[in-house]
Amino acid sequence: MNDEWKAKLTEFESRRKRARELGGQRRIDRAHTAGRYTIRERLERAAESFSEVGEFATYDDVDALGNLRGQLPASYVMGLGTFAGRHVAIGGEDFTVRAGAPQTYLDRMKGGLGGFIEDLAHEYRIPLVMFMEGVGGDVAAQGEKGHSYLVSSLSWKRSYELLAEVPVLAMVSGASAGGTAGRTVLSHFSVMTKDSVFFAGGPPLVKRALGKDLTKEELGGAQVATRSGAIDNLAEDEDDAFEQLKTFLSYMPQNVWEMPPRGERTDPVDRPLDEILDILPTNGRKPYKAVSVIEPIVDRGSFFEIGKYWGKSVTTGLARLDGIPVGVLASNPMHLGGAMDAQAAEKQIRFVDMCSTFHLPLVYLVDVPGFMVGPDAERNNVVRWGMRAIQSLVEAEVPVVTVQVRKAYGMAVSATSDPDGLSLRIAWPTAEWGDLPVDGGVDAGFHREIEEAEDPDAYRTAVQQRMRDLADPWRTVEAFGVEAMIDPRETRAMVADFLNASLHKVRTDLGPQKRQWTIRP
Amino acid sequence: MRLEKKGHAAMATHHAPTDATVWKIVKNVGDVVAEGEEIVILESMKMEVPVLAEQDGTVTKLHVEPNQAIAEDEPVADVE
């Protein structure tokens, strides 16, 4: 090696060393004390391989008066990675450098809002995995530029575009605020560690704007963010969060042009399902956990719940059935009796849109007494959200298999199948349906007739009996008003059979979604 | 379940899993309960939603009365 080479390589090594030092030992120690990894440790632990891009991009660290203190690596680390055995664009903010602020000081952003990492995911059609830890923009940015700037000069277009092209996954550890929080929710799946925080603006901002003293946990702790629906899942720690990201990705194709990856077919579709008869109460007043009915039907151990802590009257998650990745929705009678409120509708819409985008067939286990009623429901705009939920199913371009488990009353039922598609509704003998349940419906529909009768109670009883006879689900089955009635123990085999056949449709429907309408009401 | 340390025994406050009215008090203060037993049954959208003991112990406090409306996450009973 000649001296010139030696000099060039020495400079290279010293620059690489500096890049690896992040924002300095003091800030790295602070992360470790709080039980968090640095961005480089995250990438090291989560990815099986990592080809870094923009390693030597630099940030001029200045004090509040603009005097240069030194140079630090740019506040984002990213590149091409292997994650769960798959090529992904992967990266995240470096919180040790100006709290992960956007790199508006570079010629080209590395990531966080557009930037190279998003172009990589878009151009190569590979998933985007983001580790979010940053507080968004700050006033220091105008010092760097020499002038203030309109935030609208930065485009979010690529971030939105990716949602229709490749799986986008986000993990929050530490604080995700402002622009970083905004970027976080532009994902198909997000997970935060239980001691992280997420908000539009942090406690100092809230104190100034509203005069309210709140801790950051009260304002945007995991309890708040996973119950509002801003973040999908909760993780014990970062290692748990990495695992959840990998699990989520295992059901997903690399992009919307590819088939979702079929898993192993080791769980026989005709295995006994007798436990369903013990789990499902025949008494309609007794609730059960939706998960307890989902789990026996799908491949053993394959159900991955998404959004457990919000919109709880509908349970959603990914699973496999005969190895086929599917989106599962189920009414959850443990919460509001399974009635669809605004939150449940919102959760369902996002889930259905995602499954349709990535061509995952849907399986819906229905036990819904209707849209939620009452003053809270009305204040939360349940009718509009409910109608949007119906639209999500009308627009979904994937096969939908609906299982009528117990109740199916009112408009909410329209949000559980695809009447314009095959509309395959498979009923169990416990199923019941109609516009309204007979007991309340008789008083609502015939109250004048009942009041005017000689013996109102006897008249009511007679009307109820007549309506109950008419409501017998077997009458609907005989009229082919429902496509099948089966022994619940046959569910797994029958659903698997139809899902297998439906893959012919899925394969020929690959590519971006062709939505009929541009807006939701 | 949130565990609150009180002396040496662990006290568990049981919360309402959903918006509901209190339908039936199954166990009263002083009653011994085993994990999984019903303490109170709520009614929500005509469904009987049980509040189950999350540990063995004695009911030390009931925060609710029959027919009372209760919101999700409000305390129902203490077991210690």
Side-chain angles (χ1 to χ4, degrees), chain B residues 2-75:
Chain B
R2 279 160 241 171
L3 289 176
E4 289 150 36
K5 286 279 175 198
K6 196 178 175 186
H8 293 291
M11 194 269 281
T13 298
H14 294 60
H15 298 84
T18 184
D19 292 356
T21 53
V22 178
W23 184 56
K24 204 187 259 182
I25 307 283
V26 182
K27 300 282 181 185
N28 287 296
V29 172
D31 286 355
V32 173
V33 289
E35 186 184 332
E37 270 192 293
E38 290 175 346
I39 306 171
V40 168
I41 301 176
L42 308 175
E43 182 172 330
S44 175
M45 296 292 287
K46 302 206 179 88
M47 302 286 268
E48 297 167 20
V49 181
V51 176
L52 306 175
E54 287 154 3
Q55 62 181 38
D56 296 346
T58 304
V59 178
T60 54
K61 183 170 184 180
L62 285 170
H63 298 267
V64 295
E65 297 171 357
N67 300 321
Q68 179 190 330
I70 183 169
E72 183 179 354
D73 281 339
E74 284 185 353

Side-chain angles (χ1 to χ4, degrees), chain A residues 418-436:
Chain A
D418 61 338
D420 307 294
L422 182 64
S423 189
L424 175 62
R425 296 162 299 179
I426 301 170
W428 290 356
T430 39
E432 47 175 298
W433 44 63
D435 279 318
L436 276 175

